[in-house]
Amino acid sequence: MFLNQGGRQFVLDQGNRLRLPIDTRSEAVALLDVDRDGDLDALVAMYSGQDLLFENDGTGHFSDVTATRMAPASLPSVALRAVDLDRDGWEDVVVAGGGYTNGPNAIYWNDAGVLRDAGLGVSPLPSSQIDVGDLDGDGNLDIVFGNEFARLEIHWGLGNRGFMEDTTMLPPAALDRWLTAARLVDFDHDGDLDLLQSWFRADCLLENLGLEQALS
């Protein structure tokens, strides 16, 4: 953890504020106000299996509350995205369980400060990138997973915490790439989200043609 001293100066905290277990491999961090107390807590994605949740006491000191506020896990996580998926005022977390073990992608639903696991199923692909947005304009957030050695996945939000995986709206060329990144952004300022893919040999921009049409 680097502490902001002002004037563009940061200093490394020597482990007095947030301590990770020794001999563990962390992959990503998501900052979110998990308990809605007005300060940012930290969720750490662990390749060793159990993700770790640290609660901020309001002064920048963190305590491990994984045992009481976190769903148990035994498979690796490599990417996290904190977002209020069901729009209930509590930030949820989308998890990419990639890596060479091809762990399951998942959602941690935030139920009044407790993160509960709702799996999206074991992906046959090693997901390592996440972005979230309303691709089809139906008011529900959709999830895009970028996969390092294969195609991307889209899980369409159905409301009431439901999702459906479907890539039939994508052109075939978008499904035959080894992705290193996938990002949603409105490149053409037409009011809908387009999809930028980065892969080993080139980048690709998929334009969102609007409701009931495919990205092209």
Side-chain angles (χ1 to χ4, degrees), residues 61-77:
H61 291 80
F62 294 80
S63 56
D64 188 344
V65 294
T66 305
T68 57
R69 292 181 175 268
M70 186 76 208
S74 59
L75 295 171
S77 300

Side-chain angles (χ1 to χ4, degrees), residues 154-170:
I154 298 180
H155 292 257
W156 300 90
L158 306 176
N160 296 317
R161 297 188 173 184
F163 288 86
M164 177 184 66
E165 199 272 330
D166 184 13
T167 56
T168 57
M169 294 180 71
L170 294 171

Side-chain angles (χ1 to χ4, degrees), residues 10 13 45 51 75 82 93-95 116 119 125 199:
F10 291 81
D13 177 60
D51 295 333
L75 295 171
V93 181
V94 184
V95 181
R116 306 187 187 280
L125 307 172
W199 57 311

Side-chain angles (χ1 to χ4, degrees), residues 85-103:
L85 284 173
D86 53 2
R87 305 186 192 278
D88 65 350
W90 297 86
E91 289 181 279
D92 312 297
V93 181
V94 184
V95 181
Y100 294 103
T101 58
N102 291 13

Side-chain angles (χ1 to χ4, degrees), residues 28-80:
V29 177
L31 298 178
L32 69 160
D33 187 2
V34 68
D35 48 8
R36 294 204 313 188
D37 64 352
D39 52 42
L40 290 174
D41 310 300
L43 177 63
V44 182
M46 303 298 293
Y47 196 83
S48 55
Q50 177 63 58
D51 295 333
L52 302 177
L53 179 62
F54 294 88
E55 183 178 6
N56 190 339
D57 67 0
T59 67
H61 291 80
F62 294 80
S63 56
D64 188 344
V65 294
T66 305
T68 57
R69 292 181 175 268
M70 186 76 208
S74 59
L75 295 171
S77 300
V78 299
L80 304 169

Side-chain angles (χ1 to χ4, degrees), residues 185-195 205-210 215-216:
V185 63
D186 186 3
F187 271 94
D188 49 8
H189 297 280
D190 64 351
D192 52 39
L193 292 172
D194 309 302
L195 176 58
L205 176 62
L206 303 179
E207 180 185 1
N208 192 335
L209 301 179
L215 295 165
S216 67

